[in-house]
Amino acid sequence: QLYIARAIESVSNHENFYKKTNFFASGISIIAIYIFSILATASGSSIGDEGVIIYSSVSLLLYFYFNLKKIFNLKDIYTEFIIYLGFAVGFTIVYGSLISTILYVLEHMVINNDKHLFSNFGVMLCAIPFIYYLVGEKDNLIKLEKLTFDFKTYGYIALFAIVIGIISFLFFNSIIWMFNYIKNTKFNNLYVIGCGFLLAFIIKKLGFLTMGVGEDAINEAFQAVYNKQKLEKLEKENNYYELEKLRKLEKEGKFDTKLRFNEYSVLGRIINCIISIGSGLTGGLVIPAMTIGCGLGSVLSKYTSVPQDNLMYLGMSALLSPFLDAPITSAVVINRISNQPYSSLPISLAVSFIS
């Protein structure tokens, strides 16, 4: 996000409209970024690959355009448009959501004060559906049942959004501070090595739920909540026959009710992300932010009257919003990738804006 904003800022004045920006990698560096991303995930980091995909999409478009421009005598194109186009390609590959990509590009054009907003967005409106057609629709990234929200719990939800906003502020600023500190220190290589040992120690002490990109953890967490709710419903109905069958499957490990998030696993994921990105590892924070938000919703739900799955769902939007700096897109993305009805959008939007 920071590179996107800086790159657009660097080409937003008249004399730089068509110039190449230095904020993106080119050539062999793009391959190196992918390799480092794979190594980061394999080493136990909890950062995702979506940031790498989006960044690489922008870098590749800029690389090919400026290298082929002289060979084929291509027309001048606004550099900021190429950046947005690359971002649309990467965002569509990651999420496979047409409306989310359109909203995200528009939201950031407005935030970045795009001087060619109408012309750029007009072309993007034609390009994004074509990109979506080529990439194809993805299956739901997050698999959960249809949610309903009780008006009586809105006060708790608003308070939850404020808490998430405070946590996200501390979380993302800690990453930036650590990255800049290690980058500028004389002994940065020693700090990076020390961070690697610290990451291994956290995983050993707090468990494997503190590592990994998080999509599986989110889906497993929701499924465990639904299974637990099913057992409670059978108990209330005194349906002991079905209850006994599920209890037996539970003991055999075929009916999972074990919660994936607790105070230690969520704290471990937060520290894991801060250390991983802060020490310079290559990766993304979108899926990790969703996972941490989901985990915070799971943990904090026991202190409120809000259903656990409701806060887990809203936690994803709440923590994703400050990171993307796009509250509308955050709410819509979570709504679409989890296949929720549009009636749940107002409460998601409220949470995104508050946080």
Side-chain angles (χ1 to χ4, degrees):
Q1 303 300 322
L2 187 60
Y3 280 118
I4 294 286
R6 288 180 177 175
I8 290 171
E9 185 181 353
S10 71
V11 296
S12 61
N13 63 68
H14 181 72
E15 58 187 38
N16 291 331
F17 279 164
Y18 307 106
K19 286 189 177 180
K20 184 177 180 180
T21 175
N22 295 321
F23 284 97
F24 294 97
S26 60
I28 198 70
S29 299
I30 300 173
I31 299 173
I33 288 170
Y34 273 108
I35 294 172
F36 284 132
S37 176
I38 294 169
L39 291 174
T41 303
S43 65
S45 158
S46 62
I47 51 179
D49 61 356
E50 71 289 335
V52 174
I53 292 172
I54 293 171
Y55 179 84
S56 299
S57 298
V58 178
S59 297
L60 283 170
L61 275 182
L62 288 170
Y63 177 75
F64 284 119
Y65 171 73
F66 282 104
N67 278 277
L68 297 175
K69 186 177 180 181
K70 291 182 179 179
I71 299 174
F72 296 103
N73 195 27
L74 299 176
K75 297 279 187 181
D76 284 335
I77 300 176
Y78 292 140
T79 305
E80 60 188 19
F81 174 78
I82 301 173
I83 294 171
Y84 284 124
L85 185 62
F87 214 84
V89 171
F91 203 85
T92 307
I93 291 171
V94 172
Y95 298 107
S97 172
L98 175 65
I99 188 170
S100 299
T101 305
I102 291 173
L103 280 173
Y104 186 80
V105 171
L106 175 60
E107 206 166 357
H108 271 270
M109 282 183 173
V110 173
I111 290 170
N112 294 321
N113 297 316
D114 189 350
K115 293 181 179 180
H116 309 99
L117 175 63
F118 293 105
S119 59
N120 281 348
F121 187 66
V123 179
M124 292 297 290
L125 274 177
C126 300
I128 292 174
F130 181 68
I131 295 167
Y132 179 75
Y133 172 76
L134 292 177
V135 172
E137 186 175 3
K138 295 183 70 172
D139 293 332
N140 296 334
L141 190 65
I142 308 300
K143 298 172 177 62
L144 62 152
E145 297 175 4
K146 296 294 183 289
L147 300 174
T148 56
F149 297 90
D150 187 351
F151 179 76
K152 295 176 182 177
T153 63
Y154 281 12
Y156 284 115
I157 290 173
L159 184 60
F160 171 72
I162 293 170
V163 171
I164 294 293
I166 295 169
I167 292 173
S168 66
F169 174 80
L170 297 172
F171 175 46
F172 295 122
N173 277 280
S174 296
I175 292 174
I176 295 169
W177 176 84
M178 185 175 176
F179 179 80
N180 289 330
Y181 179 81
I182 292 178
K183 178 184 175 183
N184 297 320
T185 189
K186 183 179 178 181
F187 305 103
N188 50 15
N189 289 333
L190 292 176
Y191 278 109
V192 171
I193 294 170
C195 286
F197 282 111
L198 183 57
L199 197 60
F201 175 79
I202 290 170
I203 294 170
K204 182 174 176 59
K205 289 297 180 182
L206 298 181
F208 287 100
L209 289 177
T210 62
M211 61 181 286
V213 294
E215 297 166 47
D216 291 337
I218 293 173
N219 285 318
E220 289 170 5
F222 274 110
Q223 190 57 55
V225 169
Y226 295 139
N227 290 345
K228 194 175 179 182
Q229 290 173 351
K230 190 173 184 179
L231 289 179
E232 291 171 353
K233 183 180 178 182
L234 290 173
E235 284 179 352
K236 288 180 180 178
E237 295 173 349
N238 296 323
N239 191 340
Y240 297 112
Y241 176 72
E242 288 294 327
L243 186 62
E244 190 61 32
K245 283 172 61 177
L246 292 180
R247 290 289 188 196
K248 186 178 179 181
L249 290 173
E250 185 182 12
K251 289 179 181 178
E252 295 173 358
K254 297 177 182 178
F255 186 77
D256 189 10
T257 58
K258 185 179 179 181
L259 296 179
R260 290 299 184 276
F261 297 113
N262 56 42
E263 292 84 350
Y264 299 108
S265 65
V266 174
L267 178 62
R269 277 191 178 274
I270 292 173
I271 297 173
N272 189 318
C273 285
I274 292 173
I275 293 172
S276 299
I277 298 292
S279 61
L281 288 181
T282 304
L285 273 175
V286 174
I287 300 297
M290 289 166 50
T291 309
I292 293 169
C294 181
L296 287 169
S298 178
V299 171
L300 295 176
S301 64
K302 38 183 174 180
Y303 304 108
T304 72
S305 59
V306 186
Q308 190 174 15
D309 54 346
N310 282 17
L311 271 196
M312 289 166 66
Y313 170 78
L314 293 174
M316 291 190 287
S317 296
L319 201 65
L320 185 61
S321 176
F323 171 67
L324 288 182
D325 193 23
I328 297 174
T329 304
S330 301
V332 173
V333 164
I334 299 300
N335 180 276
R336 292 297 81 214
I337 66 175
S338 55
N339 195 29
Q340 290 301 299
Y342 285 109
S343 58
S344 66
L345 263 179
I347 187 67
S348 298
L349 284 167
V351 166
S352 294
F353 275 102
I354 291 171
S355 64

